[in-house]
Amino acid sequence: AAPRPAHGCGSGALLGRFGVLLQALLALCAFSTLMLKRFKEPKAERRPWRIWFYDTSKQAIGALFIHFANVFLSDLTEEDPCSLYLINFILDATLGMLLIWLGVKVVSWIVQHKKYTYLVFGEYGDPPQAAAWIGQCILYLLIMVFEKTVISLVLLIPGWTKLQQILLGYIPNPQLELVLVMFVVPFIVNAIMFWVVDSLIMRKYKQKDTLDISGSTETPRARRTEESQVLLSPDMDFDQSESDQDISGLRGTNQKMKQPSYQVVI
C-alpha cells in the first residue's frame, strides 16, 4: 500500500469507496439545484421537462468530464491528491468559468453567423429533435476540453506546491479533508456554476415571445409601452373647440326635448 502522508489523503483516496460515495452524493445534490432553478422560473417561461433535460444534460456531461479529468490529474504525482484536486477545482470555478463564458459566446456567434439553427444553445426545433441536442452536447464538450486544457497549462506554472501546502495542511484527519474537497466546497461552487451556465445555454424565452402585427415583429412589452404612450399622448386629446361644439349641441338637443309642446284646438 502507498504510504499515507502525515497530512492529507493518500494516493488513490479519491477513487476509494468513501471517495466514490462522496462523489455520488455530490452529483445528486449539485444537480438538484438545476431542478430548483426550473421551479424558480416564471410559469409562462418554465421549460418543459424534455427541454429542461436537454439543457441540463449538457452540463452533466461537461461536469463529469471536468471531474474525472481533475481526479486523473490529481493522481499523476506523489503529492497530496486532495490538495491537487482542490487547486484544479478552484481554477475551474474562477478562470475556467471565464473561459466557459467566452467559449459559449464565441460558439454562439459562429453558429448564428453560419445560420446553423439546430446548433444554437437551447434551440431544439418544434418538436424537439434529439439530433440538435447531440450536436449541442458535442459543442459544449469541446468548450470543456478547451477550458481544461488551458487550466492544465496554468498548473504547469511553478509555485502551486506552496499553495497546496497552505490550503489543507492544517487538517490532520484525511477523511475530513476528503469530505471538504469532494463534497462541501464542490457542492457550493458547483451550485453557483450550474445556475450561471444554465442561464447562458438555455433558450431566451423573453426574446422569442413576439407578436407579428402587419408584418412587423413586436414584443408584448413594447406593445404595452406603445399603448401607454398613445393613451397619455396630448396629441390624441379632443380639440377643445370641437368638444365645446359637441357639448353645446347636446345641450341644445336636450333643451328642445324639454320644451313643452302646445296644441292649438280651433
Side-chain angles (χ1 to χ4, degrees):
R4 182 183 298 274
H7 295 284
C9 56
S11 178
L14 299 181
L15 295 178
R17 182 178 300 177
F18 186 61
V20 172
L21 178 63
L22 289 176
Q23 294 173 49
L25 185 61
L26 169 65
L28 179 63
C29 294
F31 284 105
S32 64
T33 60
L34 293 174
M35 187 174 297
L36 176 63
K37 182 178 183 295
R38 179 186 180 273
F39 287 111
K40 286 290 184 179
E41 296 172 358
K43 290 185 178 181
E45 302 170 8
R46 186 173 297 170
R47 291 167 289 179
W49 282 110
R50 186 176 182 181
I51 301 299
W52 176 86
F53 171 76
Y54 281 170
D55 288 340
T56 56
S57 58
K58 292 195 289 286
Q59 283 205 74
I61 295 173
L64 288 175
F65 168 77
I66 294 296
H67 172 75
F68 287 112
N70 289 340
V71 172
F72 174 75
L73 293 174
S74 300
D75 278 333
L76 285 181
T77 64
E78 297 180 356
E79 299 177 2
D80 180 13
C82 289
S83 299
L84 287 175
Y85 181 89
L86 185 60
I87 292 175
N88 274 279
F89 188 80
I90 292 175
L91 288 175
D92 288 329
T94 52
L95 178 59
M97 190 66 200
L98 179 61
L99 294 174
I100 293 173
W101 176 83
L102 181 63
V104 169
K105 292 297 182 181
V106 171
V107 169
S108 299
W109 181 84
I110 294 175
V111 167
Q112 291 179 0
H113 182 70
K114 296 294 184 180
K115 297 182 179 180
Y116 298 144
T117 306
Y118 283 163
L119 292 181
V120 177
F121 286 122
E123 297 288 346
Y124 307 103
D126 189 14
Q129 301 293 326
W133 169 71
I134 294 174
Q136 294 177 31
C137 285
I138 295 174
L139 285 180
Y140 188 75
L141 187 58
L142 290 176
I143 294 174
M144 295 296 102
V145 172
F146 164 73
E147 183 266 343
K148 197 65 232 176
T149 302
V150 175
I151 296 299
S152 300
L153 294 176
V154 172
L155 283 174
L156 295 178
I157 301 175
W160 293 107
T161 305
K162 295 181 179 180
L163 179 60
Q164 176 184 347
Q165 295 174 355
I166 295 173
L167 286 176
L168 299 173
Y170 59 90
I171 301 178
N173 191 338
Q175 288 190 341
L176 178 59
E177 180 178 343
L178 193 61
V179 171
L180 290 174
V181 170
M182 299 299 295
F183 182 74
V184 177
V185 176
F187 170 69
I188 297 173
V189 178
N190 273 331
I192 299 174
M193 289 181 62
F194 287 164
W195 199 290
V196 173
V197 174
D198 186 60
S199 299
L200 285 175
I201 64 177
M202 68 180 290
R203 178 184 176 186
K204 302 301 184 293
Y205 287 93
K206 292 182 179 180
Q207 298 177 0
K208 299 295 181 181
D209 190 11
T210 57
L211 295 176
D212 189 9
I213 302 176
S214 301
S216 62
T217 303
E218 184 177 17
T219 62
R221 182 177 180 182
R223 182 171 58 86
R224 290 194 298 268
T225 304
E226 183 179 353
E227 289 177 355
S228 61
Q229 290 177 353
V230 170
L231 292 175
L232 297 176
S233 176
D235 297 333
M236 297 302 295
D237 294 341
F238 290 104
D239 186 76
Q240 184 66 27
S241 60
E242 293 179 359
S243 60
D244 292 339
Q245 291 177 2
D246 294 339
I247 294 173
S248 61
L250 291 173
R251 288 177 179 176
T253 305
N254 292 335
Q255 290 177 359
K256 290 180 181 180
M257 294 176 63
K258 290 180 179 179
Q259 289 178 358
S261 61
Y262 298 95
Q263 182 176 5
V264 180
V265 179
I266 302 176

